Amino acid sequence: MKKIVIFTDGASRGNPGPAAIGAVLRDTEDRILTRISQCIGKTTNNQAEYRAIIAALEKALKLGATHIELNSDSELAVRQINSRYRVKNTALKPLHQRVKQLLGRLEGFTVSHVPRRRNTEADKLTNAALDRAVD
């Protein structure tokens, strides 16, 4: 079993506006495996949150993950992924489907909402990418 712990964040300045994603992937010993910090163009905050999750899941699968502990400060995305909320927004539907498809390739996973104060590293990576885009 290879378990990877993920923290993700997505943000948009303007909603919609310039957007970026950030993620930190760690092993079970809390060692950083990789980081993601990139601009994704103009989109909404919720779309950015989903795209951060997708990028992190794709990277984790490439690293050989069989189990994922996914943490996001997006309550909406987490509740939709966990089937507590329906996905009504048509722009989020394909992103939600992609997340479900990626999670389906794993042997096990948890998807949890974390407060922003516990997601500071992913948030910093997201904002760093946004700042680079503005410069």
Side-chain angles (χ1 to χ4, degrees):
M1 173 176 93
K2 183 168 184 180
K3 181 177 180 179
I4 294 181
V5 179
I6 301 171
F7 285 84
T8 67
D9 188 43
S12 139
R13 292 187 180 157
N15 202 27
I21 61 173
V24 181
L25 287 74
R26 297 179 180 269
D27 65 15
T28 55
E29 304 296 318
D30 204 34
R31 292 181 297 240
I32 294 175
L33 300 171
T34 191
R35 292 181 179 96
I36 298 168
S37 177
Q38 65 187 53
C39 291
I40 57 169
K42 184 178 178 180
T43 190
T44 67
N45 190 61
N46 289 330
Q47 289 169 321
E49 294 281 7
Y50 264 102
R51 294 203 29 208
I53 292 168
I54 290 166
L57 289 173
E58 288 174 344
K59 181 60 97 172
L61 286 163
K62 284 181 186 168
L63 292 172
T66 58
H67 293 73
I68 295 289
E69 179 186 311
L70 175 64
N71 301 281
S72 170
D73 61 15
S74 172
E75 190 172 349
L76 176 74
V78 168
R79 289 188 178 190
Q80 288 177 337
I81 293 164
N82 287 327
S83 301
R84 293 194 53 213
Y85 287 172
R86 286 190 351 218
V87 182
K88 297 177 185 177
N89 183 304
T90 56
L92 295 182
K93 286 181 181 185
L95 299 171
H96 178 263
Q97 289 171 344
R98 178 68 177 145
V99 169
K100 291 297 216 174
Q101 180 184 58
L102 292 166
L103 290 173
R105 294 171 52 190
L106 297 163
E107 292 176 25
F109 63 88
T110 60
V111 180
S112 302
H113 175 257
V114 293
R116 187 167 295 168
R117 71 180 181 278
R118 284 202 46 231
N119 204 29
T120 55
E121 194 169 4
D123 180 70
K124 284 179 186 174
L125 291 166
T126 301
N127 281 301
L130 280 169
D131 292 344
R132 285 192 306 270
V134 172
D135 291 343

